[in-house]
Amino acid sequence: MGNSIFVRNRSVPIFIGVLALVALAVTFLSPAYGTGAVSVSFTKILGMTLCLCLAALAMDLVWGYCGILSLGHFAFFGLGGYMIGMWLMTARTEAVIRANLAESPIPPTEGEVSQATALQIFSVVGAEDWPWMWAVSDSLILSLLLVMLVPGLLALVFGWLAFRSRVTGVYLSILTQAMTLALSLYLFQNDTGLRGNNGLSGLQNIPGADAIGQERLSVWFFWASALALGLGYVGAAWLVSGKFGSIVRGIRDDELRVRFLGYPVEVYKLVVFTVSAMICGVAGALYYPQAGIINPDEIAPIASIYLAVWVAIGGRGRLYGAVIGAAAVSLLSTWFTSGRAPNVDLGFYEINWIDWWPVLLGLGFVLVTLFAPRGLAGLFDYLVRKEDT
Amino acid sequence: MSTLLEVQGVSVTFDGFKAINNLSFTIGLPELRAVIGPNGAGKTTFMDIVTGKTRPDAGTVRWGEMGHSLLSMSEARIAREGIGRKFQRPTVFEDQTVRENLRVSLKKPRGPFSAMFDRVTPEDTARIEEIAAEIGLSDHLNRKAGILSHGQKQWLEIGMLLAQDPRLLLVDEPAAGMTTEERNHTADLLKRLAKNHAVVVVEHDMEFVRRLDCRVTVLHEGSVLAEGSLEHVMGDERVIEVYLGR
Ligand SMILES: Nc1ncnc2c1ncn2[C@@H]1O[C@H](COP(=O)(O)OP(=O)(O)OP(=O)(O)O)[C@@H](O)[C@H]1O
Ligand SMILES: [Mg+2]
């Protein structure tokens, strides 16, 4: 295994080691398996943060390595959430309905259970029948497949149209914004079948897991998120190493030169874009059961811009930079916007962080861009450089 | 010698300006050809047309024994057909090592999945090292191309062309930024290549062209002004006028 990615890319063993340590620490501080110093809700926040890190990793693949500044990647993240959310809601609601109907003197037929479930789920949008897109929502396996297939397919179609017409740069970024905006507006409609602005809720209640309890479930989801991030990291590191990575970085730096070497540039872009969208789908599917709810607001254009900001702050084109950026900024954001950060009383004015956090983030972004253009992770370079010389 | 590339009656207009005007050009395999002409004569644009970067308004470009038209092919497809190019301004992947630059150029399958699972075979390594020796970059294989000198970047791009092993090489001003010694080496290398390739060299430096010792095509205002040996075209009155009358 002298040639394995663990040896070729030094950041891989370090990253996996740090991730394992974090997972161990969270486990031993959790209420279910340890001291309880970390609450259930904070365990969930940490698990969700890992999912955001995975999305940032996917963003780094397209932007940091392939030079495609996608400002629509949260669409894929949200779609992953919706795909698993449909199964969670269906299975959970059906279980509740069955429990209720079990008390009636005549056992209900399957049709009646299905009818009652649909009514329960869709009455908020004034509907009572299953929309077509819920066709496989009773199958976990198929829903898990859709978690990757639907974002992948959207990316494939969108990318094929955009890359084939050689849309690049800021025009492509605008198109991706339009894509995520269009998707969120579509989902806001009550009659599209995904419950409009109500979104899908109660996703934290995993069907059949009532006996397990949120204390343990939150740690399990944290582990699953850590595993996904670890696998994602190894996979991404493998993809960007070697010849494929060389070509993709070539496309970022000089697309025309790559074409003149005979490489079908749009096919490469399509592969990277689609793979990255599928990773985002997985990240979303792990995120929303921890968040408990998903609605169309989640894929508003601003969400995808934040994703790009995290990667820029963390440092592009080095994988761990994206993870550091996403973890640092999203945790800070949670801290500042949840009311935990103490307000600053200036006498004449009180700084309320819920309002002022976006300003602070914007300022931080500007400072990083000006003084550390390679991002927070780029600061490691100075350390390494000193070691080497 | 069989005809490899046949350009016929090609014209290109940029915003009303005729950069290429009814140009015809033929090269066989193997053959070495120098293309000269004053600045703005259309030499680079000619290469752009052959490689698919610029689409002509009129004319035909035929390729190979079957005479396939190149005009409907993408740049990448044309490159895979066996046309390689060295740009006027050296274009290498500056963020990558010399070795990586040569590796992506090596003649191997171009699809994404082949690239993902590509392994550097002992033959690949041998070829990369052979090319590096040829272009004088053996000691720089593991350095980033961005820190090379202008001349070394020129060499690296020539090396990438060698690695591609195309049938037709379009070489735009290879000698710029090179020392006299390096120029001689380049000229000899191109002559050697022309034993079993078709090579088109654009160059301003007449010493270099003389050393190539091959048929010369003179371009002026987008058309062929004269063609023949260097002595022959340099004796042509219209060529003298174009070169001195500026
Ligand atoms: N994309 C373009 N748009 C507009 N004009 C162009 C374009 N490309 C080339 N030209 C013009 O076409 C003419 C021919 O340019 P070309 O680069 O082919 O000349 P050249 O013979 O290579 O000159 P040099 O020896 O300076 O490299 C020039 O006048 C140039 O300004
Ligand atoms: Mg030129």
Side-chain angles (χ1 to χ4, degrees):
Chain A
M1 290 299 280
N3 231 347
S4 102
I5 189 66
F6 287 89
V7 180
R8 268 184 296 154
N9 186 337
R10 267 194 301 168
S11 86
V12 173
I14 297 174
F15 184 85
I16 298 298
V18 170
L19 190 63
L21 282 181
V22 171
L24 277 179
V26 170
T27 306
F28 289 126
L29 294 175
S30 69
Y33 300 101
T35 64
V38 170
S39 67
V40 170
S41 67
F42 195 63
T43 307
K44 286 187 178 182
I45 287 176
L46 290 175
M48 284 152 69
T49 303
L50 294 184
C51 298
L52 295 176
C53 291
L54 183 57
L57 190 76
M59 179 71 191
D60 197 29
L61 276 182
V62 276
W63 186 29
Y65 285 91
C66 201
I68 304 166
L69 175 52
S70 164
L71 294 178
H73 254 52
F74 242 72
F76 307 127
F77 188 85
L79 278 176
Y82 267 105
M83 292 308 130
I84 200 66
M86 284 193 277
W87 174 76
L88 285 168
M89 259 196 114
T90 304
R92 169 76 186 174
T93 312
E94 193 183 305
V96 171
I97 299 272
R98 272 188 205 284
N100 288 345
L101 290 183
E103 282 144 33
S104 66
I106 319 150
T109 63
E110 281 305 302
E112 280 167 345
V113 171
S114 170
Q115 282 269 291
T117 308
L119 186 67
Q120 176 74 28
I121 295 177
F122 299 107
S123 59
V124 308
V125 288
E128 54 188 36
D129 244 337
W130 293 104
W132 64 267
M133 50 179 84
W134 291 65
V136 301
S137 69
D138 54 349
S139 158
L140 175 59
I141 304 285
L142 291 179
S143 297
L144 286 176
L145 268 179
L146 289 189
V147 160
M148 295 187 86
L149 282 185
V150 170
L153 199 65
L154 175 63
L156 196 68
V157 172
F158 179 90
W160 186 71
L161 292 171
F163 302 144
R164 196 188 48 135
S165 323
R166 301 208 179 166
V167 182
T168 54
V170 75
Y171 299 101
L172 187 75
S173 302
I174 292 171
L175 268 189
T176 54
Q177 279 267 285
M179 174 192 75
T180 192
L181 179 63
L183 186 65
S184 86
L185 291 179
Y186 174 74
L187 292 177
F188 263 121
Q189 314 276 314
N190 274 343
D191 53 7
T192 45
L194 287 166
R195 307 201 338 147
N197 64 347
N198 306 288
L200 310 180
S201 55
L203 306 184
Q204 74 280 16
N205 302 313
I206 310 303
D210 286 341
I212 297 167
Q214 291 295 318
E215 285 199 350
R216 273 186 283 171
L217 270 181
S218 62
V219 180
W220 292 8
F221 264 100
F222 178 85
W223 287 339
S225 307
L227 183 68
L229 179 58
L231 288 176
Y233 198 90
V234 175
W238 174 76
L239 198 63
V240 300
S241 72
K243 191 163 158 185
F244 186 86
S246 221
I247 295 160
V248 166
R249 279 177 292 145
I251 291 173
R252 173 192 71 193
D253 295 336
D254 193 341
E255 185 175 322
L256 204 61
R257 189 71 185 88
V258 180
R259 288 186 197 281
F260 285 128
L261 283 173
Y263 291 101
V265 166
E266 30 292 298
V267 180
Y268 278 79
K269 285 184 174 178
L270 207 52
V271 169
V272 176
F273 195 65
T274 305
V275 165
S276 155
M278 290 163 85
I279 296 176
C280 270
V282 172
L286 282 165
Y287 180 95
Y288 289 104
Q290 302 182 70
I293 179 163
I294 181 172
N295 63 47
D297 252 338
E298 296 287 315
I299 55 179
I302 188 72
S304 298
I305 294 180
Y306 274 130
L307 189 59
V309 168
W310 298 343
V311 175
I313 289 181
R316 269 178 288 160
R318 48 175 85 226
L319 299 181
Y320 58 91
V323 174
I324 290 172
V329 182
S330 72
L331 282 176
L332 276 177
S333 163
T334 308
W335 191 61
F336 276 113
T337 57
S338 63
R340 263 174 283 226
N343 289 349
V344 180
D345 196 351
L346 298 175
F348 59 95
Y349 183 82
E350 187 172 358
I351 295 182
N352 177 343
W353 286 116
I354 296 178
D355 297 335
W356 280 85
W357 161 246
V359 179
L360 190 65
L361 176 61
L363 207 64
F365 182 54
V366 171
L367 288 179
V368 167
T369 314
L370 286 179
F371 297 109
R374 281 185 284 171
L376 295 178
L379 301 175
F380 290 147
D381 291 353
Y382 295 107
L383 299 175
V384 175
R385 199 84 23 92
K386 273 196 199 110
E387 266 172 34
D388 284 353
T389 48
Chain B
M1 187 175 93
S2 62
T3 302
L4 185 63
L5 177 77
E6 188 178 18
V7 175
Q8 211 146 46
V10 164
S11 298
V12 174
T13 310
F14 293 122
D15 312 316
F17 169 73
K18 265 210 152 152
I20 297 287
N21 189 4
N22 196 18
L23 175 81
S24 295
F25 179 95
T26 306
I27 186 164
L29 183 72
E31 189 182 349
L32 178 59
R33 179 75 61 86
V35 175
I36 62 172
N39 292 110
K43 305 181 294 293
T44 300
T45 309
F46 159 71
M47 291 190 173
D48 287 347
I49 291 168
V50 175
T51 53
K53 188 180 173 203
T54 300
R55 302 283 160 188
D57 310 322
T60 58
V61 180
R62 305 214 158 272
W63 166 253
E65 291 69 22
M66 311 293 290
H68 291 304
S69 170
L70 290 182
L71 295 181
S72 54
M73 296 184 196
S74 70
E75 297 99 318
R77 174 75 204 284
I78 291 175
R80 289 199 296 276
E81 285 283 319
I83 300 183
R85 173 170 189 185
K86 186 209 136 334
F87 289 81
Q88 183 164 353
R89 189 175 58 81
T91 25
V92 296
F93 302 116
E94 309 228 337
D95 195 36
Q96 304 192 33
T97 62
V98 170
R99 186 186 294 279
E100 285 173 307
N101 270 279
L102 291 174
R103 183 182 174 194
V104 289
S105 310
L106 280 181
K107 189 174 191 173
K108 284 182 119 180
R110 271 3 189 178
F113 299 104
S114 318
M116 275 180 212
F117 297 101
D118 181 74
R119 304 210 137 248
V120 184
T121 64
E123 297 86 74
D124 292 347
T125 308
R127 182 76 186 123
I128 287 173
E129 276 160 11
E130 185 189 347
I131 292 170
E134 175 77 73
I135 59 179
L137 291 177
S138 294
D139 295 338
H140 302 277
L141 271 174
N142 296 323
R143 305 180 78 185
K144 289 249 167 101
I147 59 173
L148 299 179
S149 72
H150 187 86
Q152 285 173 321
K153 284 182 193 166
Q154 295 270 49
W155 274 116
L156 176 55
E157 208 181 352
I158 292 171
M160 290 164 75
L161 203 51
L162 296 177
Q164 260 179 285
D165 192 26
R167 300 177 75 195
L168 169 65
L169 292 80
L170 302 172
V171 192
D172 204 348
E173 304 203 13
M178 287 187 177
T179 63
T180 312
E181 200 180 321
E182 287 176 326
R183 282 165 185 244
N184 293 345
H185 181 179
T186 310
D188 296 343
L189 174 62
L190 291 173
K191 276 169 76 171
R192 201 154 14 100
L193 278 170
K195 291 211 167 70
N196 49 7
H197 295 82
V199 184
V200 178
V201 187
V202 165
E203 191 48 70
H204 282 291
D205 179 41
M206 284 306 159
E207 269 319 300
F208 187 86
V209 174
R210 182 160 326 221
R211 197 174 172 98
L212 288 179
D213 185 29
C214 66
R215 202 173 160 85
V216 177
T217 300
V218 186
L219 283 194
H220 177 55
E221 293 180 348
S223 343
V224 175
L225 191 63
E227 204 166 271
S229 69
L230 186 61
E231 281 64 42
H232 169 80
V233 298
M234 277 325 204
D236 189 309
E237 265 176 34
R238 289 173 309 166
V239 175
I240 295 168
E241 191 183 323
V242 162
Y243 269 91
L244 297 180
R246 284 189 298 139

